[in-house]
Amino acid sequence: MNDNTLAQLHSARERFGGGEQLPDVLTPNLLPEPVARSWARSRDAGVVPWQAPEYELLIGTRSVRETPDDRRLYSCIVDEIEQLWDAFGGDDWTIFCVNPKGTVIHARRSAGCGDQLILPIVAGRRILESHIGTTAPSCALHDGTEATVTGGQHYLNEFERVSCLAVPLFGLHGEVVGALDITGTGQRDFAQMKEQFRIAALAAEQRLFGTLRGCHLLRVQHDPRWLATPLAGVLAVEEDGQLRAVSRMARRILSLPHDASVSRLTLRDLFDEAPPALLARVLRPQQGPQRISRADGSRLWVHYARAPLNRSTARRMTTDLEVGRGEGEPKHFGGAPRGAQRIGASLEEQMFVAIQDAMRDHNGNVAAVARQLQISRTTVYARLRQLHEIGMPAREAEDGASSLPGDKR
């Protein structure tokens, strides 16, 4: 943003904060419509451009991730933030996720960060227009679209040296459940970064579908090469073929309204040209994807991704992941941590919990986990892969970089 543009925006912001209308010279290129609407919401909330930013801090709560929705959002986005940080992080930048209320669920920044506008962005703070004016997360949450706010496009004068990019995160029924953002004061190519953030958001949304219990998960795509990537759509299907939820990518692929209910739709409604035997087959594990023709002449590949999970198993695993072992709690002698030795737990449950605990104990060192549990590293990776697919990742593998074997993103 050059000096002349910055001066125009600064002057318009001062007059707008004083009660005047936005001047006509501010084209959408200078001030995009979603940002202009955010300016208006900020002013209506009583914010003036010349005030100091005030990040609201939640008070009186036991945890910044107290609700099940916040814990679920955290488990689905934390790995994506780490991968984005490896690519785009820096001393004057932070990458974080907020929930629909603007509360920061998880934030990643450098230990060397000393910028007073970046330091307050930590888990538990709120990014609200009523406190700090216009930001990319506030625009993304309000409009449900990607947002970039740079320099003088911010409503507060102090943010003129800040740039931020945010993409919305969508839930099981097309609703906005959060936003993924990068904010900083250095130089970044937002046009190039935007695609990476889009893919990260889609990957997190797929993981969110993995937390559903008692239903089949199917992946759909026109091109089978994309079935194992975040570009695949996800269908959650009941045993009788009724749809429980459809991801936003699947809605695009199937030409379904982005926010319409799918509770009355079935697989037969989506694939009305398919033989009944083929529709029955897609709800059973297959070695490869099934090709299905649609009434409009298009064809889709459908891959069976996951069978319905045992509810008690999923509940025990989720509880262990969210609570974890308390500080100083002793391990169980004999290899597996004490958390895996629950009365009535199946061998499968014990293995999942043991691997989760061991990954925490050894900071993601797969070789050490394999030695402790006396299993092969291949088995550890396979179990970690299963945990990722159901949206409950353990600590990242130290010798697996930021992805697991077979991850084709």
Side-chain angles (χ1 to χ4, degrees):
M1 186 172 291
N2 59 47
D3 292 343
N4 182 51
T5 299
L6 197 60
Q8 287 186 60
L9 287 169
H10 184 89
S11 175
R13 189 168 59 246
E14 293 290 303
R15 296 199 301 272
F16 185 76
E20 298 183 24
Q21 296 297 314
L22 286 173
D24 294 335
V25 296
L26 287 184
T27 65
N29 289 332
L30 289 180
L31 194 70
E33 290 184 7
V35 179
R37 291 195 293 270
S38 178
W39 277 25
R41 293 192 299 269
S42 300
R43 185 176 70 176
D44 291 345
V47 179
V48 291
W50 45 88
Q51 74 178 50
E54 299 176 2
Y55 295 86
E56 182 184 15
L57 178 63
L58 298 183
I59 299 174
T61 59
R62 296 187 300 275
S63 169
V64 298
R65 293 186 290 272
E66 203 168 46
T67 69
D69 286 343
D70 285 350
R71 292 194 293 270
R72 188 179 300 112
L73 180 59
Y74 169 82
S75 70
C76 293
I77 200 65
V78 61
D79 285 356
E80 303 307 319
I81 288 179
E82 288 302 312
Q83 292 189 41
L84 290 170
W85 180 260
D86 286 344
F88 304 114
D91 285 347
D92 298 322
W93 292 85
T94 181
I95 299 177
F96 61 94
C97 174
V98 295
N99 69 10
K101 295 181 179 179
T103 303
V104 178
I105 299 303
H106 179 60
R108 183 74 158 86
R109 71 162 189 263
S110 170
C113 178
D115 194 295
Q116 295 305 309
L117 292 178
I118 305 299
L119 285 173
I121 304 177
V122 296
R125 296 279 186 177
R126 276 184 172 163
I127 309 297
L128 301 175
E129 290 170 330
S130 59
H131 288 68
I132 61 174
T134 297
T135 62
S138 66
C139 292
L141 289 174
H142 192 274
D143 295 334
T145 58
E146 299 165 0
T148 300
V149 182
T150 60
Q153 293 175 344
H154 287 90
Y155 187 66
L156 293 191
N157 294 338
E158 287 198 33
F159 280 99
E160 282 191 345
R161 59 188 179 83
V162 173
S163 296
C164 51
L165 160 70
V167 296
L169 297 162
F170 292 90
L172 302 172
H173 307 292
E175 76 282 17
V176 176
V177 297
L180 177 62
D181 177 272
I182 180 169
T183 293
T185 59
Q187 295 295 320
R188 291 291 187 275
D189 183 355
F190 275 8
Q192 185 262 337
M193 290 169 55
K194 187 177 295 186
E195 189 61 33
Q196 301 299 317
F197 273 72
R198 288 172 182 164
I199 292 174
L202 291 172
E205 291 165 16
Q206 284 188 355
R207 208 166 280 136
L208 183 64
F209 271 72
T211 66
L212 286 173
R213 314 302 174 207
C215 61
H216 301 271
L217 292 186
L218 308 178
R219 287 174 174 251
V220 296
Q221 245 295 347
H222 291 290
D223 189 329
R225 293 175 298 178
W226 305 115
L227 282 170
T229 76
L231 298 178
V234 182
L235 306 177
V237 187
E238 305 287 0
E239 199 68 51
D240 60 0
Q242 196 84 18
L243 295 183
R244 183 189 294 188
V246 178
S247 72
R248 62 162 163 159
M249 182 58 73
R251 288 173 184 266
R252 293 177 190 171
I253 293 171
L254 297 164
S255 301
L256 298 175
H258 74 92
D259 56 354
S261 172
V262 298
S263 60
R264 297 185 178 181
L265 294 178
T266 66
L267 281 180
R268 167 59 58 193
D269 296 321
L270 299 182
F271 306 113
D272 48 3
E273 294 291 306
L278 177 57
L279 290 183
R281 194 157 61 245
V282 299
L283 286 183
R284 296 195 299 269
Q286 304 289 328
Q287 287 189 347
Q290 305 292 309
R291 195 184 193 196
I292 301 181
S293 297
R294 304 189 70 207
D296 62 3
S298 64
R299 287 164 293 278
L300 288 177
W301 290 89
V302 181
H303 175 67
Y304 189 89
R306 195 205 70 191
L309 292 176
N310 178 283
R311 291 179 182 272
S312 62
T313 299
R315 185 163 52 251
R316 287 186 180 119
M317 289 167 56
T318 302
T319 300
D320 184 80
L321 178 69
E322 292 173 353
V323 177
R325 190 172 56 250
E327 185 177 355
E329 182 179 339
K331 299 177 187 176
H332 185 274
F333 289 105
R338 194 178 83 181
Q341 307 297 323
R342 291 195 179 95
I343 296 176
S346 68
L347 289 176
E348 183 178 19
E349 292 170 19
Q350 292 186 34
M351 176 62 76
F352 276 128
V353 174
I355 288 177
Q356 288 176 319
D357 285 348
M359 287 290 285
R360 283 193 291 268
D361 293 340
H362 296 290
N363 295 317
N365 188 316
V366 172
V369 171
R371 284 195 299 271
Q372 175 182 315
L373 301 181
Q374 299 180 2
I375 57 178
S376 70
R377 281 186 290 180
T378 300
T379 301
V380 175
Y381 277 123
R383 293 297 184 173
L384 291 175
R385 190 69 188 168
Q386 289 177 280
L387 286 169
H388 273 255
E389 287 175 351
I390 61 175
M392 291 182 286
R395 183 182 292 274
E396 286 185 353
E398 185 178 88
D399 54 346
S402 56
S403 61
L404 296 173
D407 197 345
K408 299 181 180 179
R409 262 184 295 153

